[in-house]
Amino acid sequence: HEMRKTAVSFITDKDNMMNEIVWGFIRQANAEFFKYKLEYFQAIQFARYRDGGHYDWHQDASGINPHGESRKLSLTFSLTDSDAYEGGNLEFYSGDKPMEDMELPDGTIIPASQIYQDIRDQGSVIVFDSRDWHRVTPVTKGTRYSIVCWTVGPNFV
């Protein structure tokens, strides 16, 4: 419980509608931003954080895999209304640098403060490089539910 306090289960039914939804977001993000070679995604994880539930700093990718493949992209889908819980923030580590504003492909600028709120909003989907350090801070009130999944492709060389 020092590193992670979360209840999880997995959606292993390949015909589940959630697979198509998640894969669609990953394909779009990969085409627009990452352009990684992806082969498949792992079973979708359903997570519940409550009563101090958290996941400390970690990466989803674990370096070079001897089988020639590694996690490339991670996805988090927020299922809970952000007013229904406190804490439970998904945060990304950027050293001592503050989070920067983000420019979308169409030139729209999203302020960093808005990004933090958007990550919490119910229905928000975040796709990020599996090598990025991230965490979920402890939930101090209520319950936070999310869907998480990871794509796999050839090792980076």
Side-chain angles (χ1 to χ4, degrees):
H1 287 298
E2 282 185 35
M3 178 68 175
R4 182 178 193 180
K5 182 181 175 188
T6 315
V8 299
S9 59
F10 291 89
I11 300 172
T12 57
D13 174 16
K14 300 235 185 267
D15 294 326
N16 188 294
M17 174 78 78
M18 187 56 67
N19 286 318
E20 277 304 310
I21 293 169
V22 166
W23 190 237
F25 284 118
I26 290 171
R27 278 194 311 260
Q28 180 180 354
N30 190 49
E32 290 184 27
F33 299 104
F34 300 100
K35 307 199 184 330
Y36 293 158
K37 181 173 168 75
L38 305 176
E39 295 177 355
Y40 63 95
F41 68 91
Q42 296 172 314
I44 294 173
Q45 176 185 277
F46 174 79
R48 181 187 70 202
Y49 295 83
R50 66 178 181 186
D51 303 322
H54 68 280
Y55 198 167
D56 209 355
W57 290 114
H58 67 283
Q59 297 170 292
D60 294 335
S62 57
I64 301 294
N65 179 301
H67 302 291
E69 60 185 25
S70 61
R71 286 181 175 171
K72 298 270 184 115
L73 294 177
S74 299
L75 174 142
T76 299
F77 189 162
S78 180
L79 300 175
T80 310
D81 184 323
S82 62
D83 293 334
Y85 66 99
E86 293 177 8
N89 296 316
L90 174 62
E91 298 180 345
F92 292 90
Y93 181 72
S94 60
D96 293 330
K97 300 183 301 183
M99 187 174 206
E100 297 178 358
D101 295 348
M102 180 172 66
E103 183 175 356
L104 298 178
D106 68 1
T108 303
I109 303 292
I110 301 175
S113 60
Q114 183 63 43
I115 295 169
Y116 280 118
Q117 179 57 45
D118 290 349
I119 289 172
R120 286 184 58 89
D121 285 348
Q122 184 176 35
S124 66
V125 176
I126 309 297
V127 178
F128 57 95
D129 190 303
S130 296
R131 298 170 294 179
D132 289 344
W133 286 91
H134 59 286
R135 70 176 176 180
V136 175
T137 63
V139 170
T140 57
K141 181 179 177 185
T143 304
R144 175 188 186 268
Y145 295 99
S146 64
I147 292 285
V148 177
C149 79
W150 311 272
T151 60
V152 176
N155 284 332
F156 290 107
V157 289

